[in-house]
Amino acid sequence: MDRAWLHAETGVTVDATPSVSEAHAIVAQVEYRLISEVSSLARATVHTDPHGSRDAHDLIAHHR
């Protein structure tokens, strides 16, 4: 039987004080849990945003 392989994209809000390395480790944990718990999920893209800050993507929102 063929399996459907899905790609998920999500975002997580993290405390603004961790280093880039620490934020990357958090994202890796989220990605691992998603792929482990959703059998048809081939990969996941997880984006981090610092808690309490203005969304830096507002600059490009009009392009979406």
Side-chain angles (χ1 to χ4, degrees):
M1 172 187 279
D2 290 337
R3 291 177 59 160
W5 294 103
L6 303 175
H7 174 210
E9 185 171 347
T10 191
V12 295
T13 301
V14 297
D15 184 68
T17 58
S19 68
V20 171
S21 295
E22 292 168 324
H24 182 76
I26 292 167
V27 166
Q29 291 174 358
V30 171
E31 182 179 347
Y32 173 79
R33 292 224 24 218
L34 286 168
I35 292 171
S36 296
E37 295 186 25
V38 180
S39 62
S40 60
L41 190 59
R43 63 185 177 150
T45 301
V46 182
H47 178 78
T48 58
D49 287 308
H51 177 72
S53 69
R54 183 176 157 264
D55 188 354
H57 296 105
D58 288 348
L59 297 171
I60 60 169
H62 65 281
H63 290 288
R64 293 182 182 162

